[in-house]
Amino acid sequence: TTLENKPEYCIELCSLYIQELIVSLGSELKKQELYKNYPDCIRIVMEYIENNYHKKLTINELSNIGITNPKTLTRQFVKFIGEPPIKYLNKFRITKAKILLIQSEHKINEIALSVGFQDPLYFSTAFRAETGLSPREFRNQNK
């Protein structure tokens, strides 16, 4: 069937999805352009975080991955990213958790563990600090 036969809300929803896709693509292209200007140690560590955020990661491990020391890695992250690597890691984890909270019915403590938070209470605290909502409140508002 064609879109002409669909209710108005369906067309509007499709339009919103297309807009979201365009914004996401633009953000990804902008991010890739920014990545080019980052030192190698930051690019390597950011990529490692994005692929391994669900694991237990320490500043020492991240600095070894970036072939530098923890102090230099932290200084470089603050200079180029605006925050230390562990804060970047936690924000990345929370972004992934937000997706799971919206798209799945998994328990909040299961989501916390799946995105790399070992302690569900710390996850809730970090989530609230980042979003202003508890994970449960976020889920309820976005369902």
Side-chain angles (χ1 to χ4, degrees):
T1 65
T2 65
L3 282 179
E4 291 107 24
N5 298 335
K6 299 294 180 188
E8 185 66 31
Y9 72 88
C10 184
I11 295 170
E12 187 175 328
L13 185 60
C14 289
S15 174
L16 290 172
Y17 282 137
I18 290 169
Q19 289 174 20
E20 184 178 345
L21 178 62
I22 291 168
V23 168
S24 294
L25 287 171
S27 295
E28 185 62 29
L29 289 171
K30 185 177 180 183
K31 185 173 87 170
Q32 293 301 323
E33 191 61 34
L34 284 174
Y35 273 22
K36 291 178 186 176
N37 298 324
Y38 294 159
D40 287 343
C41 68
I42 291 181
R43 284 199 316 270
I44 291 166
V45 170
M46 288 177 78
E47 185 175 320
Y48 187 80
I49 286 172
E50 291 170 9
N51 293 321
N52 297 281
Y53 65 91
H54 56 282
K55 299 177 183 175
K56 182 179 179 183
L57 301 175
T58 66
I59 188 66
N60 288 333
E61 180 181 356
L62 294 175
S63 62
N64 287 338
I65 296 297
I67 314 168
T68 188
N69 63 62
K71 191 174 182 174
T72 300
L73 181 65
T74 299
R75 193 176 330 107
Q76 291 291 316
F77 253 77
V78 169
K79 178 179 178 181
F80 287 93
I81 308 300
E83 60 196 8
I86 296 302
K87 185 168 185 176
Y88 175 84
L89 168 63
N90 283 341
K91 282 175 121 178
F92 191 85
R93 287 173 168 166
I94 289 168
T95 299
K96 294 296 184 182
K98 287 162 68 176
I99 294 166
L100 291 172
L101 286 165
I102 294 169
Q103 295 180 351
S104 79
E105 296 298 324
H106 294 296
K107 294 178 182 177
I108 291 170
N109 63 338
E110 292 172 345
I111 290 173
L113 292 172
S114 74
V115 298
F117 285 95
Q118 305 301 311
D119 179 1
L121 183 59
Y122 176 67
F123 166 69
S124 291
T125 302
F127 193 94
R128 183 181 293 279
E130 183 64 30
T131 66
L133 300 169
S134 72
R136 180 166 277 106
E137 291 167 336
F138 179 85
R139 175 178 263 171
N140 290 340
Q141 283 189 8
N142 291 282
K143 279 286 180 178

